[in-house]
Amino acid sequence: MKANVAMVWLLASLCLLVLPAQAQTSREMRKQIEASMLVAGTVDIERDGSVSAHALDNVDKLPASVVGLVDKAMAQLRFEPLLVDGAPVLARAKMNLRIRARPMGEGNTQLSIASAQFGEIDKTSPDQPTSRDMPHPKYPFDAMRAGGQGVVYLIVQIGRDGKVMDAVAEQVNLTVVGSARDMERMRRSFADSALDAVRKWVFNPPTTGELVNAPYWSQRISVGYTLGGSRKEHDTPYGSWHGYLPGPRQRVPWITDQDALGSPDAVAGGEAYPLYSRFRLLTPLQG
């Protein structure tokens, strides 16, 4: 979808902190900037897997172009029918959508749904691991001194005792612009900090459901690093655009088909999501 919202790109770019770097290097890095917005809501799924309705949270705070994009996309989505005791049932899922804006020239911006997360509405369900003790990582001193900010998307492997068996920083997105070397160093600092903390986290194992006897459970979690003390993603109000530089995606050793998991950056900050959702999308996000 195209929208005459060129200011989206400009404002998102201005939100990025520029690190000291050679001018040419900074210009090259700026070409990788993306503007995005994370929106949330619910989707109602029929017995045949079609979508009968959807609702966006705080729709009055969202741009009309974003609401129109989501309305069009939701009508074309189809999920694998949800079965209970072998029979298809009606279902409602919580959704997070990452909306991406890219400049197209002549004052136009192309909007698309970059990634999506569909999961349980009740995050306290005994069918999935729930958080028990998750102390926040320390802000890396070198990144703080350089004014670095970003988000680390983690995949954690939870053992039957609730402790973390393994963890991978799947992707690190930055909200700074600098040389490639500076940004790689910053991504590594944020990833090391998040991994050091996550290995100390403890979860409550599931007590009911199909996965109760699994040897381990995998979840996605995002950790934000924002100067000023905020733990929210980029400290950006809901419905606002922000600019960021997506990092390379890392492989997860205990997952054989990572490409089927979709992009990690639809995970809301500070929340844990099962890696494998009951709500399996069969169609592309754009219909």
Side-chain angles (χ1 to χ4, degrees), residues 3-13 102-109:
N4 191 16
V5 287
M7 285 300 292
V8 164
W9 189 256
L10 175 60
L11 291 173
S13 298
R102 287 178 171 171
M104 299 296 292
E106 298 182 359
N108 290 320
T109 298

Side-chain angles (χ1 to χ4, degrees), residues 238-258:
Y238 184 78
S240 298
W241 296 99
H242 70 268
Y244 71 106
L245 289 160
R249 192 171 175 190
Q250 306 300 319
R251 304 298 300 181
V252 182
W254 69 88
I255 296 175
T256 57
D257 188 14
Q258 186 173 338

